[in-house]
Amino acid sequence: MIALSLGWGVQSFTMAAMSALGELPRVDVAIHADTTHEHDETYKFLCRWGYWLSVRGIEIATVRAPNKLGALDEYGACMIPAHIDGRGMFSRQCTDNWKRLPIRRYLQAHRNGAPVELWIDISTDEALRMKPSDVKYITHRWPLIEKRMSRNDCAAWLKAHNLEVPPKSSCVFCPYHNSAAWREMWKENGADWRKSVEIDNQIRKARPPYDLFVHPARKPLEEIDLRNDVDRGQLSLWDEECEGMCGL
Ligand code: SF4
């Protein structure tokens, strides 16, 4: 069984499109582990391009954690790698609970005892994230590494095939966001920003005696000055790029 982990970011959509267009072998299933906290633009993108993949024979399965998917679990414990006041970061429960385990439950239910080759969306610029599977029935494969493709190469490949380049995929409130990602949401001031502020306030007292924050400044999100030099009226010669992601 060949399965692809489809997070709907640039790299995983490139692998899915390559499979659909015959540049990679046909996958049996592309599994989207839906955290339910993706950016609005990602959900719009998957509505547009999920159909495109489906009509080209790519079966898409959407899986979710069976329990409540908030930033706090049912016992009030923080699920996300929040920044701790005066310390480092909280341990990350979200990737396992929201992504890895739902994908594994799906694979166990559908593989009929067969081994699984699971394609992971890592490109050459993220090669340090490559890890072998920790279970016998799954073997990880990294097709973009095999093709020596970076994230920019993926975007170029999509454009060359008249396909849309997806927005970065991650939970809106992910504490791994860089300054550019926070600033972009703050400037848009839309539902994603409001949800991030809500979650930031929600997690604050989840680990007494320490306060928790989604932003590395370890201040309430609404109180942080997220302007860059350009916003302050100064010239900027470089643009920042959003690279952070949690992966599998
Ligand atoms: S994107 Fe961030 S918050 Fe969401 S599952 Fe990954 S590490 Fe957790």
Side-chain angles (χ1 to χ4, degrees), residues 179-193:
S179 309
W182 286 120
R183 190 176 76 249
E184 200 176 311
M185 268 197 294
W186 165 72
K187 286 189 92 169
E188 280 173 7
N189 195 21
D192 290 350
W193 172 253

Side-chain angles (χ1 to χ4, degrees), residues 35 37-38 71 79-81 92-99 168-177 244-247:
T35 64
H37 302 303
E38 288 287 342
M79 302 284 285
I80 63 175
R92 182 174 72 180
Q93 312 293 326
C94 43
T95 310
D96 263 0
N97 281 280
W98 301 350
K99 296 184 175 180
K168 184 181 171 296
S169 139
S170 69
C171 298
V172 292
F173 47 75
C174 181
Y176 291 139
H177 283 335
M245 76 152 306
C246 72

